[in-house]
Structures are given as structure tokens and as C-alpha cells.
Amino acid sequence: MNSMTGFGRGTASLDAHALTVQINSVNRKGLDLSVSLPDAWESLEGVVLEQVRKKVSRGKIHVVIEVDGGAKETDWNESKVAEELARLRSLAQSQKITFAPTAELLWRIAQDSTGREKLPEAASAWPDVEPALQAALRGLAAMRAREGEALLIDFLGRLEKIRAHIEVIALRAPQVVSTYREQLMMRLRTAGLTLDVSDDRVLKEVALFADRCDIAEELTRLRSHLAQFNELLRSSDEVGRKAEFILQEIGREVHTIGSKANDLQISQRVIELKNELERVKEQIANVE
């Protein structure tokens, strides 16, 4: 089981350049990919995304490819700076705009006039970019796996708590009808009615109550869903989407039990179950 949160980094040397690939990943319902890379390598975006899709199936993934060094700045070309400044002044005058050059504007024009070494073509750079990308993807996968192990431990602990609550409910459920029957007879005596417990009207009322509060089927399905959830957590399959569906089914059964049980002790356990399920749902949102 993998978390959707992770980070990976890879580096390489490309002629006189230092190449860095960084990948960040956070949770997302689907797969959301984005890439930032030098303009000269824009054609590599598709192949980069293809490599990422082979390794991840879910999450918001952002890949950043940066190149440092290799820049060869020359002295400012004063004639070019003056020429560019004159063009800007002429344009401003033609548009009847007051032209007042600032130090910042001069700095930008001067910087633009310096010479810089160009990056290699995308096709020739890819053999160096790919190993760095693969290293970043391995780092990302390793971190997501470590986070996943921590989440698995947390899930298994919460599943044990959920099972414990369910078993308490299962033990309490058979007592609900007898408790209701005793309460019914007490209310009848308080009202001055002398009906026997074997009276048909009492038996009918108790039978109707027993049918309404019967949660045997819900408990059976609940145990089955928990077993599926536990098996899924330990599998090598994609967990996130399937787990969300199973949790939805578990929540439905818990809600039905709370509605039908008509018993204070069971209701208290249902509240605890819902609290644990909410915590699991919050965490499962981080699972791939």
C-alpha cells in the first residue's frame, strides 16, 4: 500500500550544466500530472509524463526539471542597450506616453544584451534527463511506500477497535428484545393493566419490535465488509478507490444498525464506530 504523499529528486551533469529533477506528490482523487521544464525542452513534456504514468496511478504529481550553470555572461553591449532604449523612447513618443527610464529598466535591458550559452537540443539532452527522472521516480516511490506502511499500521489498529465495537453490539443485540419485553410489562403494570406476558397482544407487540430491531443481517454484512477491507489493505493492488467504496458500505450498515437497534448501549457503540470510520476515511484519502 502506497501513500499519495511523497518527494523524489534526481541529478545529472549535462555538458557544463547541472541538471536537477524534482517530483512532488500530494493526494488527489484521480491522477493529475504537471511538468515544468526549460522552454527549449518543451517537446520532452509528453515523454516525461509517460514515464511518470508508468510509476503512479493516483495523486497530484508535479515534475520540475531545472538546469543550472553553463551560462556564459559577457560584458554588457552598451550600443545595444542604447539602441533598445532609443526604440522604447520612440515608441513612447509615438503613443504620447511620458518616457522616464528607471534603473530597473536599464538593468533589464542590460541583462538581455548579455550572451548566454544555449541548452542542448531536447533530443540530445534526453539520454541525460531520463536517468535523473528515473532516480527521482524511485525516490518518490520509496517515500510513498514508507508513508504507506505507516498508514497500514494505523488502519490495522483502527480495524481492531471497529471489530471490538461490533462484537460488543453482537453480544448486546439478543438482549434488546427481552429488555423491551420487561419494559413493556412494567409500563402496562404502571398503567394499571394486568396483561400476562403470554397474552397474544403482548406477544404480537414484542414480535413486531423484535422484527424492527433485528440487526443480524447488518452484522453479517458488516463483518464481511471488514474482512474485505483488511484483505485489500494487505494486497498489492491499488487500494484507495476500492477502500473508499468499502468504507461507504460499512458506514451504511453502521447507520442502519443505529437506526434499528433502539438500545442505548448499542447506540453508544454506533457513535464510537462512526468516529473510527471518519478517522479511517480521512486517512484513506491519502492512499494511492
Side-chain angles (χ1 to χ4, degrees), residues 60 78 88 92 95 138 176 232 244 279:
K60 180 177 175 59
E78 293 186 10
L88 289 174
Q95 299 297 320
R138 287 193 296 273
V176 173
L232 177 62
E244 288 174 354
R279 296 186 183 102

Side-chain angles (χ1 to χ4, degrees), residues 157-174:
R158 296 197 183 280
L159 280 180
E160 287 303 315
K161 293 180 180 180
I162 290 173
R163 285 195 191 94
H165 289 309
I166 291 172
E167 294 311 312
V168 170
I169 290 174
L171 289 173
R172 175 61 185 172

Side-chain angles (χ1 to χ4, degrees), residues 152-251:
L152 176 60
I153 293 172
D154 181 72
F155 287 142
L156 294 178
R158 296 197 183 280
L159 280 180
E160 287 303 315
K161 293 180 180 180
I162 290 173
R163 285 195 191 94
H165 289 309
I166 291 172
E167 294 311 312
V168 170
I169 290 174
L171 289 173
R172 175 61 185 172
Q175 304 173 38
V176 173
V177 175
S178 59
T179 300
Y180 175 77
R181 182 169 55 246
E182 293 173 3
Q183 293 174 344
L184 176 62
M185 297 306 299
M186 184 179 297
R187 288 197 297 270
L188 291 173
R189 287 193 295 270
T190 302
L193 301 175
T194 57
L195 293 178
D196 188 81
V197 71
S198 60
D199 187 282
D200 287 343
R201 288 168 292 180
V202 174
L203 293 175
K204 182 178 180 181
E205 174 63 25
V206 172
L208 289 172
F209 176 82
D211 184 63
R212 289 195 304 269
C213 71
D214 182 20
I215 57 174
E217 292 183 7
E218 285 76 14
L219 287 172
T220 299
R221 287 193 293 268
L222 197 48
R223 290 185 177 113
S224 174
H225 294 329
L226 284 177
Q228 293 176 43
F229 190 76
N230 184 69
E231 183 179 351
L232 177 62
L233 291 178
R234 298 175 184 275
S235 73
S236 58
D237 298 336
E238 180 185 323
V239 174
R241 291 186 180 90
K242 296 177 183 178
E244 288 174 354
F245 174 76
I246 295 175
L247 287 172
Q248 182 179 346
E249 295 303 306
I250 291 174

Side-chain angles (χ1 to χ4, degrees), residues 5 24 30 34 53 56 63 89 94 96 135 161 235 268:
T5 303
N24 295 285
S34 60
R53 287 192 184 96
V56 297
V63 182
R89 180 179 291 107
S94 68
K96 297 181 179 179
K161 293 180 180 180
S235 73
Q268 290 172 339

Side-chain angles (χ1 to χ4, degrees), residues 55-123:
K55 303 295 184 181
V56 297
S57 59
R58 197 173 180 218
K60 180 177 175 59
I61 316 294
H62 184 51
V63 182
V64 179
I65 300 176
E66 295 178 326
V67 181
D68 296 322
K72 293 183 178 179
E73 297 188 2
T74 63
D75 293 336
W76 295 340
N77 189 322
E78 293 186 10
S79 62
K80 286 186 177 180
V81 173
E83 181 182 343
E84 187 65 27
L85 197 60
R87 290 176 61 189
L88 289 174
R89 180 179 291 107
S90 176
L91 176 63
Q93 290 175 350
S94 68
Q95 299 297 320
K96 297 181 179 179
I97 299 173
T98 302
F99 184 67
T102 63
E104 182 181 359
L105 177 61
L106 289 173
W107 171 259
R108 288 182 180 178
I109 296 174
Q111 285 292 95
D112 290 340
S113 71
T114 59
R116 290 181 178 269
E117 181 181 324
K118 292 184 178 180
L119 290 176
E121 294 294 327

